[in-house]
Amino acid sequence: RGSVIPKAFRFALLVPVVSFVLLSLEEWAPQWRVREHLSDMSGNNVWNGSTFALLILLGFRVQTAYARFWESTTLLHQMQGEWFESVS
């Protein structure tokens, strides 16, 4: 399975590359946001959208962790019952 660092690095590298491309595009063609109708998107809208996406992803992670916790708790109680049966 290996380390998760290369996979995380690929995702982490995507954001600075996209930011660099957008900033370079802003320098070379200052009116591109107006042409693409992105000039009315404020920082507040971007913040709200990214927060919403982050909360959705975090919700899926918490749900998975919660399911794993209850699966391990069930298996632990099953193992405890089998030990009890083997002794008695």
Side-chain angles (χ1 to χ4, degrees):
R1 308 233 284 140
S3 176
V4 297
I5 292 175
K7 187 176 181 181
F9 186 72
R10 283 187 299 219
F11 285 111
L13 189 62
L14 181 66
V15 174
V17 168
V18 170
S19 297
F20 177 76
V21 168
L22 290 176
L23 286 174
S24 299
L25 189 59
E26 185 70 32
E27 274 187 34
W28 293 328
Q31 295 298 320
W32 75 273
R33 287 193 302 162
V34 176
R35 281 193 313 266
E36 300 298 327
H37 305 291
L38 296 174
S39 61
D40 53 341
M41 185 174 6
S42 67
N44 208 12
N45 292 338
V46 174
W47 178 256
N48 288 339
S50 61
T51 302
F52 177 74
L54 183 64
L55 287 176
I56 293 295
L57 292 174
L58 187 63
F60 284 124
R61 292 288 288 191
V62 167
Q63 182 181 11
T64 303
Y66 191 69
R68 287 180 180 173
F69 167 75
W70 281 113
E71 181 183 7
S72 65
T73 302
T74 303
L75 291 173
L76 184 65
H77 285 288
Q78 181 183 358
M79 184 175 61
Q80 184 181 12
E82 288 176 4
W83 285 352
F84 183 75
E85 285 180 10
S86 68
V87 172
S88 56

